[in-house]
Amino acid sequence: MSMIISGFGFGLVNFVTVLGMMDSFKEEFPSAYTSSSFSSFIGVAALPPILGYIVIAHGERVGLLSLGILSSSLLLSGFFTSSRAQTLGTTEEERLAKTRYSGMTDETGCLIEESMDCGYIPGDSLNYWVTLFSNHRAHMCMVLIAFISAFLYISWSIFLVPYGESLGLNSTDAVYLSTSGGVAGIIGKASSLVLFRWESSVIPAGVIMPTVLLGVAYGISLFSANFTVLILVAFLSGFSLSLVSCVCFAWIPRIVCPGHFQGAISVGYLITGVATVLGGLPIGIMVDVTGHYRQAFALMALSSFVASMIAVFWYLFIEESKT
């Protein structure tokens, strides 16, 4: 039960933190989101061995207590995150300027005006979700790519080491595949920080190219059992998946109106959560039925190329909106 409550709480914290970042950083949201994602990646890598050492040295009770104390540091983040109510100016002009990117509120005249541009009628919940999906085509592309990338990530992370062992690698060498992918993931997230400085190149270099690389990498892994080649494949996979996940969410303010930002974020997290929970299921069934991993990685390669084609449409929709 405690794990269920913890998972629910962390999910809510993650969502609200993203909204707070949008309030605080506005136009710099992509860089802020990527910095946060990069830091969380470091935390995911560092926390298990640290807690493992504490549990071994001092027991599970102290380990859980340490985790609770660490989680309590989130209170400081909430305290220092800007509040939408605190950004309101004393004049109408200041209020509109400061709340332009603050999210969906019926009181913000500027926000309502921009929302009406996409057909959204403030206060109409059904119309809100209909217009989010019908009038923001680039967002639909982002959702599909986020789902595929989350599916690929969970499948790849679960079956990478067993796949290496099935090709004849010993367990020690197979673990290095995961290490290579993890290091590449850190590089991928750091690369997106640089990429956001050239907005016109974000989708081609941050989504189209990585998804094509994923397809090629998975395709190569079908025909080679060489350890060096598999290390390279794991590296390309970790780099590409991390870069795509950062771009998909960090770029949401650029592809939806301010009134639909909260909805777009919530849909993105929902769809990636579903893909994360169910992602390993079809691959696991395929491995159980066929008895080996080649068909599974072939499916992952095909999914990557499908994502790259969707990314092309995403780019075309953005270019069309500029004309």
Side-chain angles (χ1 to χ4, degrees):
M1 179 61 70
S2 62
M3 294 298 101
I4 295 176
I5 296 174
S6 299
F8 183 77
F10 280 120
L12 287 179
V13 166
N14 196 23
F15 175 71
V16 173
T17 299
V18 171
L19 298 183
M21 281 194 290
M22 185 62 183
D23 281 347
S24 299
F25 294 95
K26 300 178 176 63
E27 286 294 323
E28 295 300 321
F29 173 80
S31 297
Y33 179 87
T34 303
S35 299
S36 173
S37 182
F38 176 80
S39 300
S40 68
F41 205 87
I42 298 295
V44 168
L47 189 59
I50 294 175
L51 284 180
Y53 169 78
I54 294 175
V55 169
I56 293 174
H58 304 285
E60 293 184 0
R61 183 182 297 273
V62 176
L64 288 174
L65 180 61
S66 301
L67 182 60
I69 294 173
L70 182 61
S71 300
S72 299
S73 65
L74 294 173
L75 292 172
L76 294 176
S77 300
F79 180 79
F80 288 109
T81 299
S82 68
S83 169
R84 187 172 296 123
Q86 294 173 346
T87 62
L88 299 181
T90 55
T91 67
E92 183 69 10
E93 182 178 356
E94 289 176 350
R95 184 172 69 86
L96 294 180
K98 292 183 179 181
T99 59
R100 183 177 183 86
Y101 296 98
S102 64
M104 184 183 66
T105 58
D106 294 345
E107 295 78 20
T108 306
C110 180
L111 182 55
I112 292 175
E113 180 181 349
E114 294 206 11
S115 297
M116 290 174 63
D117 290 342
C118 71
Y120 164 51
I121 302 173
D124 188 337
S125 298
L126 177 60
N127 174 266
Y128 177 82
W129 294 108
V130 170
T131 52
L132 171 61
F133 289 103
S134 62
N135 295 343
H136 295 295
R137 295 177 296 174
H139 171 253
M140 282 298 300
C141 294
M142 185 281 294
V143 167
L144 292 173
I145 293 171
F147 179 84
I148 294 174
S149 63
F151 162 76
L152 291 174
Y153 178 78
I154 195 66
S155 302
W156 168 76
S157 59
I158 291 175
F159 296 104
L160 177 62
V161 173
Y163 180 56
E165 293 176 341
S166 73
L167 294 177
L169 299 179
N170 60 56
S171 58
T172 302
D173 289 340
V175 169
Y176 285 120
L177 300 179
S178 180
T179 302
S180 174
V183 171
I186 295 175
I187 297 174
K189 289 184 182 293
S191 299
S192 60
L193 281 171
V194 179
L195 182 61
F196 289 143
R197 298 302 175 184
W198 293 275
E199 293 197 5
S200 61
S201 302
V202 168
I203 305 306
V207 183
I208 298 176
M209 182 193 72
T211 49
V212 171
L213 279 177
L214 272 176
V216 172
Y218 292 143
I220 291 174
S221 67
L222 296 175
F223 304 101
S224 176
N226 182 273
F227 178 68
T228 303
V229 172
L230 292 178
I231 282 285
L232 177 61
V233 167
F235 185 90
L236 290 176
S237 299
F239 175 84
S240 300
L241 289 170
S242 294
L243 181 57
V244 170
S245 67
C246 268
V247 171
C248 280
F249 285 94
W251 217 239
I252 285 179
R254 303 291 197 270
I255 60 177
V256 300
C257 66
H260 277 125
F261 174 76
Q262 292 182 352
I265 285 290
S266 63
V267 169
Y269 276 127
L270 174 63
I271 204 71
T272 53
V274 171
T276 300
V277 171
L278 302 178
L281 183 61
I283 300 298
I285 293 175
M286 184 174 293
V287 171
D288 290 339
V289 171
T290 61
H292 46 79
Y293 295 87
R294 289 190 180 276
Q295 283 84 350
F297 273 76
L299 175 61
M300 293 165 65
L302 177 62
S303 300
S304 301
F305 286 124
V306 170
S308 66
M309 289 187 288
I310 296 173
V312 171
F313 282 105
W314 181 357
Y315 179 72
L316 293 176
F317 289 150
I318 292 178
E319 290 301 305
E320 180 184 337
S321 67
K322 294 178 181 179
T323 59

